[in-house]
Each structure stands twice: as C-alpha cells, then as structure tokens.
Amino acid sequence: MSEPGRNGSAGGRAEPEPGSEQRSRATEFFAPAQSLGGRLTPPADKSISHRAAIIGAIADGPTRVVNFLDSDDTRSTLSAVAGLGAMVSPEPWKAMPAQFAIEGVGPGGPRSLGRIDVGNAGTLMRLLPGWLAGYEGGLWRLNGDASIRRRPVDRIAEPLARMGASIEVTDGRFPPIRIDGRSLTGISYELPVASAQVKSCLLLAGLRARGPTTVIEPMPTRDHTELMLGAAGAGIERERGSVTIHPGRELRLDEVEIPADISSAAFFIVAAAIVPGSRVVLDRIGVNPTRTGILSILERMGAAVEVTPQAGGVEAIARITAGGSNLTGTRVEGAEIPLAIDELPLVALAACFAEGETVIADAGELKRKESDRIAVVVESLAGLGAEIAATADGMKITGTGGLRGGAVDSHGDHRIAMLGAVAGLASREGVEVSGMDAAAVSYPGFGRDLARLATT
Ligand code: S3P
C-alpha cells in the first residue's frame, strides 16, 4: 500500500477505474486432513479494527491501538482516516506495528475535498459517510472496487438525507457516493433491515447533529460502535431495541485493545467440528454476545465447543476449544441471523456433514455481501458434492456425511476462499480454491495457519 495522500486527497490510492482492480488469481489446493490439532490466536477483529481507526480519527487527542488487524480492508480504513487528517504513528504503511497511536482530528473535523478509496471494505463505505456528512463546507467522493460498486448504499443515504445530509449515490443505490457536508438534525429511525453498519453510520452522524438521534433495531446486531463510543465518553443511551446518541460531548478514546476475530476463529471451529478426531484451542477471541451466534448454532448441532472467559476490557474475550463431533441438522432463522451473519456459509458447510436437514432462512442479506453468498455458497458446495439448494431467503442442506471435493472459485470473496479451504480439509479428495488471495481482505496468512493446525 502506498503512503496516504498529504495533498488534500483523502485515501492513499488513486481512484480505481471500473474493472481495473482485478486481483491476481492465486490457486491453492487443500488436501484432506486426518485431523486438526493445536493452539492459535487468529488475527484481530475486523469490525472492531475499522471502528478503532474511525472513532480514533474522530476523537480529540491520541488513541493507543493495540492489536489492530493487518488486512487489506483495515489498511483501506487507516489510509482513509490518515488522508482525512488523522495522524497515525509509527506509520504502519510498510509493516503493521503491534501498537500504534492515532491522533484524532477533534473538533476541527476531517480534511475536505478528498477522493476516498475504500477498496473492498463495506464497513468503511457505510460508516465513513456518517462521520463526514455533518461537516459543512466539506466535499468527499467515496469509491471502491468492483464488488463494492455492487453493494447498496441507499440504506445509509436515505436516513442521512432525512437528517439533512447531501449525499448522491449512483443509480439511486450504489457507490460511488458524493458527500457535500451540511449541518444535520437528529432523527428517530427504525432500521428496515437489521444492519450494524447502518446503525453505526447514523450514530456517527448523530455525534454532530442538532438534537438526539435514535436508531431502532428490528433485532440486535453487533454493538461494537455503541461500546466504543461509550468508552470514548459519547452520550450513548441504550434501551432494549434502540440506541440514542446525544451530541456535543468531546470524544477521548485513550486506548483500544482489539480481541481476535470470532469470524476468523469460526473457520477453525467448524474445521475441528467436521474433521473427526480434531481438537483446536483458540485464544483471546472476542465473544461479544452480538457475535456468537455461530457458537450457539454449532452447539445445537451437537458440536463440542467450550468457551472459557479470559481477561477482557470493553469487549468480552474467551478461549474457545472445539472438537470433532457427530452433528445433526438444525434451523437457523429470525434473530439468530444477524448474530451469525458472516458465519452462515460455514453453517452450510457444517450442515453437509450433519445428519438430516439444515435450513437457513430470513437471510436475504447474504445476497448483499462481498458476493451473493446464497448463490455462491450453493454453487460452491454443490460443486463439491453437497445436497444443497438456494431458497428465496437462504438455503436448505441435506447432510450426506461428507463432501467429495473438487474446485471452488472464491468470486473475490474472502469468506468463500476460506470456506473452500476448510471444505478441502474435510473432503475425501481435497479442494482447489481459485482466487485464494481474497482471504487477505480479513485474514492474510489464513492458508498458512490452517496448514499449521492440520495433519494431512
Ligand atoms: C459489519 C456488519 C455486518 C457484517 C459485516 C461487518 C460491521 O454487515 O456482515 O461483515 O462491522 O458492522 P451489515 O451491517 O450490513 O449486516
């Protein structure tokens, strides 16, 4: 990654031309494993890392960030906030230090007139406008890669416009986004879809609005933004089903220590549950209850998962031990969906090894992730020999006790690349994953860590 712009342009990279940012297409073969065993601390939580960079950049004064995720997505965020005027030291552009400080821009606000490249990061695309929209006189244009340009942003543009923001999106729905800073007024907004990104965007916008902003959630979603804003001294008020931000407080974050990402840990937990004779121990995993849906689902399926609390801070942390098990099918729907949204592809994989039928319903949001994760999961697992079918809002899987193996195309989606790798270990013939490099979006070195735990 290049150094961030020092010339008033926010974000370090030139704005990509449509279709020009194709990744190299690394192909890797994942052979069947006899078992998985050992101990690992996966990389830092992606959601919390994005928030540490953004809230640290908004804050007045320095924030010490410990264990920031070094990945493509979170580098996009650091690059963006540096371009917007936050000072990051020591500079992480070549090698990510274990700790660094972000000196926030404080009441002076972000630098204007910037083109910001969010790369593949949906969280950055949805959260940043919340910060920027309320700065009168500022003008920004946000764009990203081909996958980002297919992901809807009307879900943030519409409520921000109700607050008085001037936001232009493309074809009424997609990035690029142009933001013309305006003074904002607080609103009460009921989210039409359960989305932590939209909630977070509105809470950030509410920091500067006139009057309070309330976000009402149809069901709970990850609450990292509320926790971090609360720790920074923001006027956050939480009730069952809603959260309100009162503007006007100065933010001081001081220090954020980021736990390991449960969404990354989940690949090893499921691998251990479907490869017989496995036992993996994963340390310092973030177990915020708005993220642990995968654990409850696997427990219900009969997996051997043990959670032992470890010393944490604002976010709960635990050691997770997972082992090989005889799984049975289950139904995943309703309020459980947002708590496991990024792990649903892994539930589908586990279901291939379970006895009976598994149904994932109410999960239409999967179509709007880094790829259409209903279509791509069904295509990928069916290609490996699974009995799986797409439904209107999810999928149905009939466990057959295993997978033959074959080939998986990541479609540039990091979670599909890692899904293919885990499927390979658990399959009879192995899986060749094309586009494995996409894993670097959230977990550079995933293949290496998986190989370290696997005995083939
Ligand atoms: C995220 C929220 C979820 C999740 C995404 C990260 C976040 O998206 O799928 O990977 O960090 O807030 P939605 O808010 O769109 O459900």
Side-chain angles (χ1 to χ4, degrees), residues 47 51 123 126 155 194-197 222 341-342 365 369:
S47 286
R51 286 155 172 83
T123 303
R126 271 72 171 253
R155 52 182 59 197
S195 165
Q197 292 177 350
R222 64 192 68 191
I341 186 74
D342 294 336
E365 272 296 294
K369 298 298 175 188

Side-chain angles (χ1 to χ4, degrees), residues 316-397:
I317 294 179
R319 169 180 305 141
I320 299 178
T321 306
S325 350
N326 292 320
L327 304 180
T328 49
T330 188
R331 201 178 161 85
V332 184
E333 63 189 342
E336 200 161 39
I337 296 294
L339 310 181
I341 186 74
D342 294 336
E343 291 69 64
L344 294 175
L346 280 167
V347 172
L349 174 62
C352 298
F353 292 79
E355 207 184 302
E357 190 177 75
T358 295
V359 175
I360 300 173
D362 305 324
E365 272 296 294
L366 284 180
K367 296 178 187 168
R368 294 177 191 93
K369 298 298 175 188
E370 286 83 332
S371 66
D372 173 344
R373 285 189 184 152
I374 295 182
V376 172
V377 167
V378 169
E379 171 200 301
S380 305
L381 295 179
L384 303 180
E387 247 181 66
I388 181 167
T391 61
D393 62 353
M395 48 197 120
K396 252 189 204 160
I397 308 102

Side-chain angles (χ1 to χ4, degrees), residues 12-103:
R13 290 169 287 185
E15 193 177 17
E17 288 308 316
S20 68
E21 64 292 281
Q22 292 299 317
R23 287 170 170 281
S24 64
R25 303 264 308 152
T27 295
E28 258 180 74
F29 182 71
F30 294 88
Q34 276 166 26
S35 65
L36 274 92
R39 204 173 180 123
L40 184 81
T41 302
D45 190 281
K46 181 154 83 71
S47 286
I48 303 176
S49 294
H50 283 304
R51 286 155 172 83
I54 295 171
I55 297 175
I58 298 173
D60 192 14
T63 298
R64 201 157 70 92
V65 183
V66 182
N67 193 36
F68 189 82
L69 173 63
D70 187 4
S71 73
D72 289 357
D73 256 21
T74 45
R75 280 178 170 254
S76 293
T77 299
L78 274 189
S79 181
V81 300
L84 288 164
M87 301 277 288
V88 185
S89 64
E91 293 199 336
W93 315 118
K94 286 204 179 87
M96 186 72 69
Q99 301 186 7
F100 58 78
I102 299 185
E103 182 77 33

Side-chain angles (χ1 to χ4, degrees), residues 136-160:
E136 271 178 281
L139 183 65
W140 300 272
R141 189 168 187 269
L142 275 65
N143 203 354
D145 69 7
S147 149
I148 271 290
R149 291 195 297 271
R150 287 191 295 268
R151 298 182 66 188
V153 284
D154 50 336
R155 52 182 59 197
I156 57 158
E158 200 264 321
L160 284 174

